[in-house]
Amino acid sequence: QNSRIVSDFKQTKLEREAQKHWDVFYKRNTTKFFKDRHWTSREFEDLCGSEQKGPKTLLEVGCGVGNFLFPLLKDNSSLYIYACDFSPRAVQFVKENSLYDESRCKAFQCDLTSDDLLAYVTPSAVDVVTMIFVLSAIHPDKMLQSLLNIRKVLAPSGCILFRDYGLHDFAMIRFSPGSKLDENFYVRQD
């Protein structure tokens, strides 16, 4: 439906100003846009809990305001979570949450495509990395670098859990004209 790709100028501008746009999003919506992801506790146990009774250390990439982080911390007292987001404002909301406890979690701002995760996380220390609707927000040319960055902190027996948009799903089909940046790569209007 939307076959026209936006101009190179607009693509470059959107990429250069991506962090600003995420900060504006969180300024406008604060902590009220996304619902807490209580389903993740159930899915998390099913996917990773059978052999070792749940991972000890987790890295949540794209933590937003903590909708995944806080329900999971509530449900699993033996879990330590590193949580990072591209938006400094989102990370500040996480740190201001009454459930934030540095003995159980550490939130930090990070551009996964260029910042070194080793500045915040010990090498090979993470049992599970979660990426919930993160890959679709990263330019395809930078995805490999992002995954190599994650690999530095992932334990040899660790795993990556991700959920994202699918090719030709409703989210992709409903994008309005002026949203297509490249083949299978779109910008949301919010």
Side-chain angles (χ1 to χ4, degrees):
Q1 180 183 21
N2 183 12
S3 60
R4 203 173 86 219
I5 295 175
V6 300
S7 70
D8 288 342
F9 173 78
K10 184 174 180 182
Q11 285 186 45
T12 302
K13 185 176 183 335
L14 286 167
E15 183 75 18
R16 189 177 58 247
E17 296 176 356
Q19 189 175 66
K20 180 185 98 175
H21 291 296
W22 278 109
D23 267 2
V24 168
F25 172 87
Y26 285 112
K27 181 179 183 180
R28 182 176 55 246
N29 296 296
T30 65
T31 60
K32 297 171 181 29
F33 188 81
F34 299 108
K35 294 179 178 154
D36 280 353
R37 295 178 171 154
H38 295 285
W39 59 267
T40 55
S41 294
R42 181 183 63 251
E43 298 300 322
F44 188 73
E45 185 177 333
D46 290 347
L47 294 170
C48 293
S50 59
E51 287 181 26
Q52 71 180 83
K53 294 190 171 124
K56 299 289 184 229
T57 305
L58 183 139
L59 168 63
E60 181 187 8
V61 177
C63 68
V65 298
N67 299 96
F68 175 89
L69 165 75
F70 295 119
L72 200 56
L73 281 175
K74 253 189 201 176
D75 291 345
N76 191 333
S77 62
S78 66
L79 190 61
Y80 186 87
I81 301 179
Y82 292 98
C84 67
D85 200 274
F86 189 49
S87 166
R89 188 178 306 268
V91 171
Q92 192 59 41
F93 280 127
V94 169
K95 290 181 174 182
E96 291 171 356
N97 189 305
S98 61
L99 298 173
Y100 184 75
D101 175 2
E102 290 228 349
S103 70
R104 304 229 22 239
C105 58
K106 177 183 178 180
F108 56 96
Q109 189 277 327
C110 181
D111 179 349
L112 193 62
T113 68
S114 61
D115 297 337
D116 190 352
L117 279 173
L118 292 177
Y120 308 97
V121 183
T122 307
S124 303
V126 175
D127 299 303
V128 174
V129 175
T130 60
M131 302 176 77
I132 312 295
F133 297 106
V134 170
L135 288 172
S136 58
I138 296 174
H139 192 285
D141 293 345
K142 296 181 178 182
M143 284 184 188
L144 179 60
Q145 176 57 38
S146 301
L147 293 170
L148 290 172
N149 198 4
I150 288 169
R151 183 177 170 194
K152 294 184 220 174
V153 299
L154 190 62
S157 61
C159 67
I160 297 175
L161 306 177
F162 70 95
R163 178 178 181 196
D164 223 308
Y165 301 107
L167 191 59
H168 305 297
D169 70 5
F170 184 66
M172 180 181 178
I173 292 168
R174 71 180 175 176
F175 278 117
S176 60
S179 299
K180 189 171 187 175
L181 300 176
D182 206 344
E183 197 62 36
N184 303 321
F185 189 52
Y186 297 83
V187 62
R188 290 178 51 130
Q189 297 306 310
D190 59 359

